[in-house]
Amino acid sequence: MSNVHDGRQDRSRTVGGVSQELVHKHDSTEVLLTGWTTHGGNLHTVHARWPRCHAFYRPRHRRFDPLLFVETVRQTFPLLSHAAYDAPFGGHLVWGDFSFEVEPQAMLIPQAQADVVLEVACTDVRTRKGCLASMTMHAEVLLNGHRVGSAKTRFTNHSPAVYRRLRGERDLAETRRRALPPLPPLPPATVGHHHHENVVLADTGRADRWRLRADLDHPVLFDHPVDHAPGMLLLEAVRQAAHMNSPTANRMVTGMAVSFDGWVELDAPAWVSVTPARGDTLRAVIEQEHGTCLAADVTVEAVPPRTAEHLTVRSPVNLQLSPQP
């Protein structure tokens, strides 16, 4: 039986500095978040800083990578779960669905440092036996005072015992031993990258279907041992597949609406396919022999040329909670 978290806070609490443990990363240099403030009523402000040139989420068209935006939002899940909702370490956060949209013109890399603010509202926060069980998060994201995009996600939190019941007993060393070796990658330029090691798709001889490449030695996508393909790897595969379907150089992924329907196992082939849906939207699917693991609608837009027009600085976003059931 689960209960709804009432979200009451005695007072606002501000914390500076974010450790890698709080965002579930082993490499401290991959931590994008810099601090947060927890307000009353399940409202939070999270601060981040974007590097001008990330080793993996590299800029294109003088714009930040939209998957850098996604990774920033992803890091808020464990941060707030642990820091604001007292989720114990050792549990497993599992994505249910995730959607985001970014404004291409707002993603331009500024001359000054890139300070990011996420105004986060958590709704339908549920607990089980006093521990966080699930929540929905809404985030409005600003870059140096300009609105850059928004994201929404639903995820669950499972204790180690519950996770074992869901996944079975899985030894991480054995998972690594059984994992399929990655096939030769597609040419990096065709999927929006510069280096072969960052390509997560392999050729199948078809123009709309590819094999997923899971390189367990990749320092960013596999920052620490896991028993399945990480969510960020799957979103990167969807993004790269969208680039293959829309090879024009001046196009970028500006949004996704993703449903995570099952784990992608590392010891079996996984297939990534895209088909046109409507307008600028593609339908992407990741499958294994047991069925569909992920389905996504992906928006791909032409990147507007860089202009000198001034972007209006917006006041901080005021997020209101939806009524609790």
Side-chain angles (χ1 to χ4, degrees):
M1 179 177 178
S2 64
N3 299 300
V4 178
H5 187 277
D6 63 14
R8 288 177 292 183
Q9 302 281 345
D10 292 334
R11 58 189 175 84
S12 180
R13 182 164 63 97
T14 300
V15 178
V18 177
S19 68
Q20 62 263 40
E21 291 84 5
L22 279 173
V23 297
H24 293 186
K25 300 291 284 187
H26 278 190
D27 185 352
S28 61
T29 65
E30 291 299 317
V31 179
L32 301 171
L33 308 186
T34 59
W36 77 95
T37 299
T38 292
H39 313 289
N42 288 324
L43 298 177
H44 314 274
T45 300
V46 178
H47 296 271
R49 182 165 294 165
W50 284 348
R52 297 181 67 85
C53 189
H54 190 275
F56 179 70
Y57 302 113
R58 296 177 63 88
R60 299 181 76 233
H61 315 297
R62 293 182 290 183
R63 288 166 169 81
F64 286 114
D65 186 337
L67 269 292
L68 181 67
F69 173 100
V70 173
E71 171 61 15
T72 306
V73 175
R74 185 211 63 78
Q75 291 189 12
T76 67
F77 309 166
L79 170 70
L80 294 180
S81 295
H82 296 307
Y85 296 96
D86 300 319
F89 290 95
H92 297 264
L93 299 180
V94 178
W95 250 333
D97 57 65
F98 177 75
S99 61
F100 80 93
E101 56 83 19
V102 297
E103 300 176 8
Q105 196 66 3
M107 293 286 282
L108 285 166
I109 298 173
Q111 295 293 328
Q113 64 189 23
D115 290 322
V116 178
V117 174
L118 300 92
E119 298 291 357
V120 180
C122 298
T123 61
D124 195 22
V125 181
R126 296 185 176 271
T127 61
R128 182 175 292 108
K129 296 181 179 179
C131 183
L132 177 69
S134 62
M135 72 165 74
T136 298
M137 288 178 52
H138 313 251
E140 290 284 337
V141 184
L142 295 92
L143 169 60
N144 290 352
H146 311 295
R147 183 186 184 277
V148 70
S150 64
K152 178 182 177 182
T153 186
R154 179 76 182 170
F155 62 90
T156 54
N157 179 50
H158 301 290
S159 69
V162 171
Y163 189 76
R164 283 194 298 271
R165 288 201 295 269
L166 293 171
R167 296 285 290 151
E169 293 287 349
R170 290 175 179 266
D171 178 80
L172 292 178
E174 178 65 11
T175 297
R176 182 179 180 88
R177 188 188 69 79
R178 292 171 56 88
L180 298 181
L183 296 175
L186 293 173
T190 64
V191 296
H193 275 278
H194 297 281
H195 304 293
H196 287 88
E197 59 267 26
N198 290 336
V199 178
V200 302
L201 300 179
D203 189 27
T204 64
R206 288 177 49 175
D208 61 350
R209 184 175 169 90
W210 305 270
R211 271 278 299 273
L212 179 69
R213 298 183 72 250
D215 179 2
L216 274 62
D217 291 320
H218 195 283
V220 176
L221 295 174
F222 286 89
D223 167 80
H224 54 277
V226 290
D227 67 2
H228 60 275
M232 288 302 296
L233 168 63
L234 304 183
L235 297 185
E236 178 64 27
V238 168
R239 185 262 290 275
Q240 292 188 17
H243 274 283
M244 287 294 294
N245 190 270
S246 303
T248 306
N250 70 331
R251 293 174 69 80
M252 68 180 287
V253 169
T254 59
M256 293 185 192
V258 184
S259 172
F260 294 88
D261 302 316
W263 282 279
V264 174
E265 308 298 347
L266 296 169
D267 59 357
W271 310 91
V272 185
S273 59
V274 293
T275 55
R278 60 191 182 281
D280 291 327
T281 303
L282 303 171
R283 183 65 170 172
V285 175
I286 299 180
E287 302 168 286
Q288 286 190 306
E289 57 186 3
H290 57 273
T292 298
C293 304
L294 177 151
D297 289 328
V298 187
T299 303
V300 184
E301 297 183 54
V303 177
R306 182 165 189 160
T307 67
E309 67 184 62
H310 179 68
L311 291 173
T312 302
V313 177
R314 303 193 179 193
S315 59
V317 179
N318 182 20
L319 289 175
Q320 298 295 327
L321 281 175
S322 301
Q324 295 288 353

